[in-house]
Amino acid sequence: MPPRICCALLAALAVCPWLGAAEVGTNVKLNSDGTAELHNEEQLAVNPTDPDNVVAVWRDFRLGYRRIGVGVSHDAGASWSDTLLPDSAWPRASDPGICADSAGNFYAHVLSLSNGGGVAGAAISVFKSTDGGDSWADPVDAVTSPFGLLDKQMIACDRSGGPTDGYVHLAWYDVGGGIRTTRSIDGGASFESLRQVSDGGSVQWPVPAVGPEGQVYIGWVDFSESVLKFDRSSDAGRTWGPDGIITPLLITNEPINGGIDVLAYPAMMVDNSTGPRRGTIYVAYIDRREPGGDTDIFLRRSNDEGTSWSQPLRINDDPLDSGADQFHPWLVVDEEGALAVIWLDRRDDPDNLEWNAYLARSFDGGRSWTPNVRISSASSSPAGGQTAAAGLIGEYIGIDSLAGDLYTVWTDTRDGQQDVWFAPAFDLDSDGDGVADTADNCPTVANRRQRDADGDGQGNLCDDDADGDGLSNDLDDDDDNDGLADADDCAPTDPLVAARPPETVGLIADTDGITWIWDEDASGAATEYRLDRGALVALMGGSYDHACLVTGLFDPRASDSELPGPGAGFYYLGLGVNCFGVGSAGAGRPSGPCP
């Protein structure tokens, strides 16, 4: 083949192994009944003893009236079986939810209805499965009402690992009595007498959560005051204190475009990890930034058991006041303390009508969020709503997480009617840097090289004190302690980058004859590479005419399939690059910019 000559080169630092990030998994329809009936109001839970076991529940009209559908997967959502929860003494059911305890038992709760129908229930019933959702015991009525005035119940399983582990907590709205709760301390075999939680007001939509020491928290919406309220029990749900306020609201319950009712319920979870934010309470909710504006998803957090709350932080990252509504949020905090929120989002439709399911994650206690990721592979429209009951498309959707993997479920009308759709997200790479979120030391900012100057596990680009000297970056004149003041340093948090990369050696041709490989820059100054090519005739004449062939390389490796003409040849230079510019090509060998 025509001659090729290798000359001086530069390279980059050695890097940690990185994980290729998987995309959001395939969308799967869970209800297989084949009818055109309505299916919505979904929740799901992952078995903490078996991450391949996922169980979902939803409101299901396949028989022409309200029942509860249940879907079971034993392969992390790749395949599903679905049916209806077993018959009970109550002919109809609605408003389902689910949780899993530490032993892997699933508890599905339903609002049990009489033949008289209506939107309020005569009982709240709990079904238990001890075999991963494949079968369910006869339900236990946790609470009954002779007047059929129960509504909007939610469940929480205590997985604190302490003396209250295994307790099951229910909270609901009693039309005549406000927010109430009960608990089971015997694995769902029985439930204690109800306890009053709310102090008054026009209230609804209670959501319970359990803290790391068995504390129980409940949040709800107060329509009369236009606020989200909160109460806590420090004795595992036995006694309750005065109501507090999580946040004021500009929206509590109203229809948005297409006739979809949205409610500002508090999707609430607690960090029960052993990490630095253990015990932090998080609430995701819908609200407007200003009266008449589009609806957004916000987060507030409390580090003192709900005594005080952070300022609201907007999670959806579409442009402010874009006119696109976001609604129906749900929240999960995994065993490592990472947060994830799912919601329905209209940013993809300029008419603000069709929606998709979206997702965002936070690895710093909700202070920052990854770029939003679309989960659904097809858009949905209210035209597939079929009925105006329960807000047209139901009032909530679901998400759960285990070992960094996310499982999501939502209402979808791509087939012309309301169905239940599911998608997993494994090894999600939210910032697109090629490092999966679960392995990324800075998952919200692209940093493929994972540089961590002070070795604290937090990447330089996300670390408020990059050099670990006790001074925050905004107070430190030399954040990376490289001797170059931040004002003169284009990489102020990276001590390895204080000048252009040096020259290195080792350029060789790979066995295919068209790929060139060179050594990584041992100094660590190079953050990427480029390959230059020149004409051999110029080199033999004592001059250099090489120019940039390819740039932006992560590894010191590039290919060139072009062959020189007869009697001619190419020479190559491998160069290191950082924010200070192109590295040295060696004495007398210029290196110009890439086009």
Side-chain angles (χ1 to χ4, degrees):
M1 64 179 293
R4 298 172 183 244
I5 294 181
C6 309
C7 290
L9 55 130
L10 300 179
L13 82 164
V15 297
C16 298
W18 57 278
L19 299 174
E23 297 180 357
V24 172
T26 302
N27 288 193
V28 179
K29 184 165 73 171
L30 299 194
N31 56 288
S32 64
D33 54 283
T35 71
E37 298 292 344
L38 178 150
H39 311 78
N40 60 29
E41 293 194 345
E42 308 86 359
Q43 293 272 274
L44 56 71
V46 184
N47 187 337
T49 70
D50 178 6
D52 288 337
N53 182 204
V54 188
V55 180
V57 292
W58 59 87
R59 198 171 66 143
D60 193 310
F61 281 69
R62 69 180 66 182
L63 300 181
Y65 56 91
R66 299 172 191 241
R67 291 289 298 274
I68 304 303
V70 56
V72 179
S73 175
H74 290 283
D75 53 13
S79 62
W80 291 79
S81 61
D82 75 289
T83 185
L84 296 175
L85 282 178
D87 292 336
S88 73
W90 305 98
R92 305 184 184 210
S94 191
D95 299 13
I98 192 168
C99 68
D101 67 18
S102 299
N105 301 307
F106 289 95
Y107 299 85
H109 65 86
V110 306
L111 188 65
S112 294
L113 307 171
S114 66
N115 274 324
V119 296
I124 297 171
S125 307
V126 178
F127 294 78
K128 181 177 180 179
S129 174
T130 60
D131 58 4
D134 292 329
S135 64
W136 298 84
D138 290 338
V140 173
D141 289 344
V143 59
T144 59
S145 170
F147 306 107
L149 297 177
L150 309 174
D151 198 13
K152 293 294 173 292
Q153 80 287 347
M154 280 290 162
I155 196 168
C157 288
D158 187 328
R159 285 163 39 180
S160 61
T164 61
D165 191 279
Y167 285 13
V168 180
H169 298 273
L170 279 168
W172 69 92
Y173 163 58
D174 190 312
V175 176
I179 306 303
R180 291 175 169 173
T181 185
T182 184
R183 67 178 188 175
S184 172
I185 63 174
D186 56 9
S190 64
F191 284 82
E192 297 177 348
S193 300
L194 65 85
R195 293 173 171 90
Q196 186 69 32
V197 178
S198 62
D199 297 334
S202 175
V203 297
Q204 202 187 48
W205 248 107
V207 179
V210 179
E213 307 301 328
Q215 313 97 313
V216 185
Y217 308 111
I218 298 178
W220 65 91
V221 60
D222 188 317
F223 300 114
S224 57
E225 298 182 29
S226 294
V227 297
L228 289 181
K229 284 193 172 179
F230 174 89
D231 205 346
R232 64 174 175 260
S233 171
S234 299
D235 54 8
R238 294 177 60 192
T239 60
W240 295 84
D243 300 346
I245 293 177
I246 299 172
T247 183
L249 297 167
L250 291 178
I251 179 175
T252 56
N253 178 19
E254 64 182 72
I256 56 176
N257 190 30
I260 296 176
D261 282 346
V262 295
L263 292 100
Y265 53 77
M268 183 166 63
M269 287 286 288
V270 184
D271 183 344
N272 288 327
S273 73
T274 58
R277 288 174 286 274
R278 176 179 170 87
T280 300
I281 308 168
Y282 301 97
V283 172
Y285 60 98
I286 181 178
D287 203 6
R288 305 186 193 276
R289 295 181 61 252
E290 58 187 12
D294 55 69
T295 58
D296 293 313
I297 309 301
F298 294 92
L299 181 102
R300 285 186 185 253
R301 66 181 182 275
S302 174
N303 300 320
D304 54 13
E305 296 194 85
T307 300
S308 62
W309 295 85
S310 68
Q311 291 299 306
L313 188 146
R314 181 176 182 260
I315 298 175
N316 49 291
D317 60 7
D318 60 317
L320 293 175
D321 303 317
S322 66
D325 286 319
Q326 286 80 28
F327 52 100
H328 286 16
W330 208 256
L331 169 71
V332 66
V333 183
D334 71 14
E335 71 278 9
E336 300 296 329
L339 285 71
V341 175
I342 184 179
W343 66 91
L344 300 181
D345 195 307
R346 284 173 156 171
R347 72 180 70 186
D348 301 311
D349 181 5
D351 294 326
N352 192 36
L353 184 65
E354 295 187 344
W355 70 84
N356 283 284
Y358 270 76
L359 170 75
R361 305 181 79 182
S362 174
F363 298 87
D364 59 2
R367 292 167 175 80
S368 63
W369 290 82
T370 61
N372 298 173
V373 175
R374 176 172 158 175
I375 304 169
S376 53
S377 56
S379 298
S380 293
S381 168
Q386 301 154 284
T387 175
L392 185 66
I393 62 167
E395 297 174 357
Y396 52 92
I397 57 179
I399 185 171
D400 203 3
S401 178
L402 186 66
D405 296 330
L406 299 173
Y407 304 88
T408 65
V409 65
W410 68 94
T411 303
D412 195 299
T413 68
R414 71 182 72 184
D415 289 339
Q417 67 277 330
Q418 292 184 41
D419 293 310
V420 179
W421 284 73
F422 164 89
F426 303 125
D427 291 333
L428 198 65
D429 178 17
S430 300
D431 57 13
D433 62 2
V435 185
D437 289 345
T438 52
D440 198 335
N441 64 15
C442 184
T444 59
V445 181
N447 66 330
R448 191 173 180 184
R449 297 195 178 279
Q450 299 290 286
R451 297 200 175 186
D452 180 9
D454 57 3
D456 65 354
Q458 191 169 20
N460 293 340
L461 295 181
C462 292
D463 196 337
D464 292 336
D465 179 14
D467 58 6
D469 63 358
L471 289 176
S472 63
N473 294 339
D474 57 350
L475 299 177
D476 195 338
D477 293 334
D478 183 9
D479 291 340
D480 54 13
N481 289 335
D482 61 359
L484 189 64
D486 289 346
D488 301 317
D489 193 343
C490 64
T493 63
D494 193 337
L496 299 178
V497 180
R500 293 192 307 152
E503 179 185 7
T504 59
V505 295
L507 182 64
I508 60 172
D510 202 356
T511 55
D512 63 6
I514 64 171
T515 301
W516 301 91
I517 305 171
W518 60 102
D519 294 341
E520 295 177 342
D521 172 21
S523 76
T527 56
E528 62 182 61
Y529 304 97
R530 85 180 210 194
L531 182 69
D532 282 21
R533 186 184 73 187
L536 184 60
V537 63
L539 181 66
M540 295 177 66
S543 63
Y544 300 94
D545 69 346
H546 56 88
C548 178
L549 180 67
V550 59
T551 190
L553 301 169
F554 177 65
D555 296 308
R557 179 187 184 97
S559 298
D560 178 21
S561 59
E562 183 179 347
L563 297 177
F570 293 146
Y571 72 94
Y572 293 86
L573 294 171
L575 304 171
V577 182
N578 64 24
C579 61
F580 285 96
V582 184
S584 170
R589 305 185 188 106
S591 56
C594 276

